[in-house]
Amino acid sequence: MPIYKGMMVLFSRMGQDFVNADGPSDSELVERCLAGDQSAWTELIARYQRLVYSVARALCPDPDDTADVFQYTCLDLYKGLKEVRDVKALPAWLITVTRRRAISVMRARIPVGSSDEAAIEPVDVIRTIEHEHAVERALDLLSPRCRELINLLYFNASQPSYVDISNKLGMPVASIGPTRARCLDKLRKLLT
């Protein structure tokens, strides 16, 4: 089964960001996956691996359990992709499947009737992960210039100055603020 082998290669490269902003849509990827295209499977798993892994990690403190949940979820995707009716709901579907798999793994570790059973599912953590995923996807839809500006302003640990950003992006210092406002407005619209 070549698709399964491709998934296993991806499992060994967890944590890398493979999302390409100029890549195919989810619908195109799903269509290609259903047609048996190995590269589409690789790209689809890569696109959602951070989401799946984040949910699994939020619910399973043991890294081995997290990896198992990730693999089970990917196999569930492989087996159930035909049944996903609305490709736009794929992130929600993956979150649900990952959550169920993680809860199953965690329940297997907790004695029956234990008071710890109710604490398995931190709903707020899952909501935060869903929100972060939505922001990541919206950032991917921005133009490369907006995406780079927002990354420099908000996600760069070295906190570059406007002069550094100006030099890096080749834009006047005075236009960074207005450009930032336009980019954030586009991001806001993508999120609503």
Side-chain angles (χ1 to χ4, degrees), residues 76-149:
D76 288 342
L77 176 63
Y78 173 70
K79 292 175 185 175
L81 189 60
K82 288 179 224 158
E83 281 108 47
V84 175
R85 288 173 272 167
D86 182 8
V87 176
K88 290 177 186 170
L90 187 58
W93 186 90
L94 285 168
I95 288 169
T96 300
V97 171
T98 304
R99 183 178 48 78
R100 287 179 183 160
R101 282 293 187 174
I103 289 170
S104 176
V105 165
M106 295 309 295
R107 280 200 176 126
R109 295 193 177 277
I110 296 172
V112 177
S114 171
S115 61
D116 291 340
E117 195 169 334
I120 291 176
E121 187 177 357
V123 175
D124 291 337
V125 172
I126 302 291
R127 284 189 189 126
T128 300
I129 291 168
E130 287 175 324
H131 179 71
E132 288 172 358
H133 178 72
V135 170
E136 282 181 18
R137 291 298 300 265
L139 283 168
D140 287 338
L141 296 173
L142 290 175
S143 69
R145 182 178 172 115
C146 275
R147 192 170 45 253
E148 191 169 3
L149 178 60

Side-chain angles (χ1 to χ4, degrees), residues 33-51:
C33 288
L34 293 173
D37 182 344
Q38 173 63 41
S39 65
W41 275 106
T42 301
E43 191 168 345
L44 187 66
I45 296 296
R47 183 171 288 178
Y48 286 103
Q49 73 182 6
R50 286 176 51 183
L51 173 66

